[in-house]
């Protein structure tokens, strides 16, 4: 999709991943494996497939391992080649990004919110609208969610476009929720957006998931954005303030979203990906057969 208006993707990755302690004590959450690749690699692949030219990672100073993972490691490549492991070296080189050309690291030292994280990326973005990818939201489907969104954005939309899905009434308080005014195909138009509303005041059940294509005016809005829900500078609030001038639409993507910010979501994503790979069919079949077999009698104590 080279030639798209959307050239930059921002990855907010500064969170400390406390929900996954102790696993995240020494390993950033974004580097936890979903089968054999770190969570962040799925997001990078999705951005690359969507034709993104520059990826800006907004990181916490304590999480240098993300940088080590994302960028090329020429010493490791040379070592692998010396030891006859050229295919491993080639695989790593294909996955990694080159500093400055296509990967930039910005710092968010304090947890001031998602809106603040996006603002930290401002000095490094290329001209035009920007994509934001929250790597916690792993979206598995035939086509990458961001590719679908950018195709829709380039064809029909300007302003702000956010990925959406329907959630249950008791789940609205975990998401940004749109005030929907109409729907045409995969697109919903909206005249408002509110962060994590209580179920009784939520304007709809159309929830934002972690993919955004935002008009560049978002940065000016974020510069002056007051703290909102949870005392944090919310991306949702800055988007909502821009609706009158640039508009807002929700995009129903075709894939399935897994919330890898939770242990259950991480497990579900792992199982989904495993079910798509023949090499794991024996393990999954055996597990299902065992789970379905009648419970065994407990062994009596001696
Ligand atoms: C963030 C956004 C929220 C969005 C959600 C999607 O919340 O603030 O609007 O619905 O991501 O995953 P978080 O999950 O970081 O609290």
């Amino acid at each position: 999709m080279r030639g798209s208006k959307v050239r930059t993707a921002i990855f907010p990755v500064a969170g400390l991943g406390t929900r996954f302690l102790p696993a995240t004590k020494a390993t950033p959450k974004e580097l936890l494996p979903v089968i054999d690749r770190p969570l962040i690699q799925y997001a990078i692949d999705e951005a690359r497939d969507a034709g993104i030219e520059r990826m800006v990672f907004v990181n916490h100073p304590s999480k240098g391992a993300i940088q080590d993972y994302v960028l090329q490691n020429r010493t490791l490549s040379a070592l692998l080649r010396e030891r006859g492991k050229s295919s491993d070296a080639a695989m790593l080189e294909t996955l990694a990004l080159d500093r400055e050309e296509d990967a930039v690291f910005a710092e968010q030292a304090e947890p001031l919110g998602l809106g603040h994280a996006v603002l930290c990326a401002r000095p490094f973005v290329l001209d035009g609208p920007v994509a934001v990818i929250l790597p916690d939201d792993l979206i598995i489907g035939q086509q990458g969610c961001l590719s679908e969104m950018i195709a829709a954005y380039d064809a029909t939309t300007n302003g702000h476009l956010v990925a959406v899905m329907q959630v249950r009434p008791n789940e609205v308080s975990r998401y940004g929720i749109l005030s929907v005014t109409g729907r045409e195909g995969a697109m919903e138009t909206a005249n408002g957006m509110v962060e994590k509303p209580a179920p009784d005041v939520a304007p709809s059940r159309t929830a934002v998931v972690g993919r955004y294509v935002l008009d560049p005016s978002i940065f000016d809005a974020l510069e002056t954005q007051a703290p909102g829900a949870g005392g944090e500078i919310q991306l949702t609030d800055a988007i909502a303030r821009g609706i009158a001038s640039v508009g807002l639409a929700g995009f129903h993507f075709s894939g399935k979203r897994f919330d890898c910010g939770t242990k259950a979501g991480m497990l579900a994503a792992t199982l989904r990906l495993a079910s798509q790979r023949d090499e794991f069919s024996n393990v999954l079949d055996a597990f299902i057969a065992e789970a379905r077999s009648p419970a065994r009698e407990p062994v009596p104590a001696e």
Side-chain angles (χ1 to χ4, degrees):
M1 220 178 296
R2 293 263 160 191
S4 160
K5 291 180 273 191
V6 189
R7 302 169 64 203
T8 306
I10 298 168
F11 298 71
V13 292
L16 294 185
T18 48
R19 275 197 223 163
F20 280 88
L21 283 169
T24 47
K25 183 180 174 195
T27 306
K29 178 180 63 175
E30 295 78 9
L31 297 187
L32 297 180
V34 187
I35 306 203
D36 52 6
R37 27 182 85 192
L39 185 54
I40 198 162
Q41 186 67 54
Y42 295 91
I44 291 171
D45 290 348
E46 189 181 321
R48 207 168 359 210
D49 283 352
I52 291 296
E53 294 167 47
R54 168 159 305 170
M55 304 191 199
V56 184
F57 299 87
V58 182
N59 197 10
H60 187 268
S62 68
K63 293 169 73 182
I66 294 194
Q67 211 147 321
D68 294 344
Y69 176 78
V70 166
L71 297 175
Q72 298 287 355
N73 182 337
R74 313 239 180 249
T75 315
L76 177 59
S77 282
L79 193 70
L80 288 168
R81 288 215 156 79
E82 243 171 70
R83 298 195 177 166
K85 296 187 179 294
S86 320
S87 61
D88 286 335
M91 181 258 290
L92 291 184
E93 285 159 7
T94 310
L95 296 178
L97 302 173
D98 286 307
R99 189 193 283 265
E100 281 164 30
E101 275 170 48
D102 47 12
V104 182
F105 287 81
E107 194 172 284
Q108 187 190 25
E110 282 184 86
L112 299 179
L114 178 57
H116 176 255
V118 170
L119 185 57
C120 291
R122 181 173 202 173
F124 308 103
V125 302
L126 303 173
D127 284 350
V130 294
V132 177
I133 298 190
L134 309 187
D136 271 5
D137 281 334
L138 175 52
I139 300 177
I140 301 174
Q142 297 284 329
Q143 212 196 335
C145 178
L146 193 61
S147 292
E148 289 180 341
M149 283 178 82
I150 290 180
Y153 191 88
D154 281 341
T156 58
T157 333
N158 285 301
H160 300 318
L161 182 66
V162 295
V164 292
M165 66 180 195
Q166 289 299 114
V167 297
R168 295 193 192 93
N170 64 347
E171 293 171 334
V172 288
S173 56
R174 298 193 341 227
Y175 297 91
I177 300 291
L178 297 192
S179 295
V180 176
T181 49
R183 176 157 183 177
E184 209 182 311
M187 292 284 201
E188 274 187 297
T189 45
N191 63 4
M193 184 172 170
V194 46
E195 182 69 7
K196 302 193 172 88
D200 51 333
V201 295
S204 77
R205 291 197 282 123
T206 300
V208 176
V209 306
R211 302 290 183 277
Y212 306 76
V213 178
L214 301 173
D215 184 85
S217 61
I218 192 67
F219 293 115
D220 282 345
L222 285 168
E223 295 277 7
T224 56
Q225 185 58 54
E232 296 185 340
I233 297 173
Q234 295 293 349
L235 184 59
T236 294
D237 297 342
I239 293 172
R241 278 169 59 217
I243 295 176
S245 47
V246 301
L248 171 65
F251 178 80
H252 287 267
F253 51 95
S254 64
K256 182 166 168 54
R257 174 258 193 180
F258 294 87
D259 180 2
C260 289
T262 69
K263 291 171 217 175
M266 190 75 143
L267 177 61
T270 304
L271 290 170
R272 170 62 68 100
L273 288 170
S275 73
Q276 294 173 348
R277 281 165 61 167
D278 288 344
E279 63 189 295
F280 300 119
S281 60
N282 288 346
V283 180
L284 290 179
D285 290 350
F287 180 81
I288 292 164
E290 245 170 70
R292 282 193 182 143
S293 67
R296 289 195 206 100
E297 289 292 310
V299 181
E302 292 281 309

